[in-house]
Amino acid sequence: GAVVSQHPSWVICKSGTSVKIECRSLDFQATTMFWYRQFPKQSLMLMATSNEGSKATYEQGVEKDKFLINHASLTLSTLTVTSAHPEDSSFYICSARDRMGQYEQYFGPGTRLTVT
Amino acid sequence: GDSVTQMEGPVTLSEEAFLTINCTYTATGYPSLFWYVQYPGEGLQLLLKATKADDKGSNKGFEATYRKETTSFHLEKGSVQVSDSAVYFCALSDLGNTPLVFGKGTRLSVIA
């Protein structure tokens, strides 16, 4: 149990275009989902916390107009990178907290974004 | 605020060697503690957890004990394998819906 999927697993896009990444909890309901960004050989940087049915809470320094987060249901959150630039290339990881669980988060496999 | 400090890597060990990765934390409350593992090109997987003092989490031969008196949660394995090569993250969670606080990660390479 407690599986989180991400789609796509990798994507290459051209500079100036937008990319949407989906995060789904497959066998549990997640009232809260988190979006992280990871640079090569570094730790995870929390970008935002997403609660179902409400606006996401962004960490300091993360542009909310550039990284649009929608948490429309208890099993789906999306991250849209708008007007992507090469510096947005990164590994994006989502995680979900089981509404019945105790503090642990289940992570998706990650999405590698390359902007050319 | 809450924080996690873990030993800097990379750590390189020979197969069947003993592994210790140190992790200490600071927290205002009584956090739950976690070890996550990230294999190359993949997301994070929960390795083990402990929710209260003196609890021992264990999985796949790895162990860690929640030591409140030393605010530590060191990861150990008696005999590592090449397949254990990965990045290991120590993390804590203090309150209901707050995100995990991660250490910087420790890269482990096990050579045959």
Side-chain angles (χ1 to χ4, degrees), chain A residues 58-73:
Chain A
Y58 290 81
E59 296 298 301
Q60 194 171 9
V62 178
E63 299 177 59
K64 60 180 67 176
D65 294 331
K66 180 164 188 63
F67 298 100
L68 300 179
I69 291 171
N70 184 286
H71 192 159
S73 76

Side-chain angles (χ1 to χ4, degrees), chain A residues 18-68:
Chain A
S18 296
V19 174
K20 180 185 284 189
I21 302 170
E22 292 186 350
C23 176
R24 292 181 186 272
S25 57
L26 297 185
D27 50 4
F28 65 98
Q29 293 182 327
T31 49
T32 304
M33 290 185 172
F34 304 94
W35 286 95
Y36 296 85
R37 184 173 179 177
Q38 187 179 33
F39 292 100
K41 298 188 178 182
Q42 294 191 25
S43 189
L44 282 72
M45 181 192 81
L46 179 67
M47 299 175 67
T49 300
S50 161
N51 290 298
E52 185 262 340
S54 62
K55 291 185 178 180
T57 302
Y58 290 81
E59 296 298 301
Q60 194 171 9
V62 178
E63 299 177 59
K64 60 180 67 176
D65 294 331
K66 180 164 188 63
F67 298 100
L68 300 179

Side-chain angles (χ1 to χ4, degrees), chain A residues 79-93:
Chain A
L79 167 68
T80 301
V81 183
T82 62
S83 188
H85 289 104
E87 57 265 30
D88 299 325
S89 299
S90 192
F91 195 52
Y92 292 88
I93 303 175

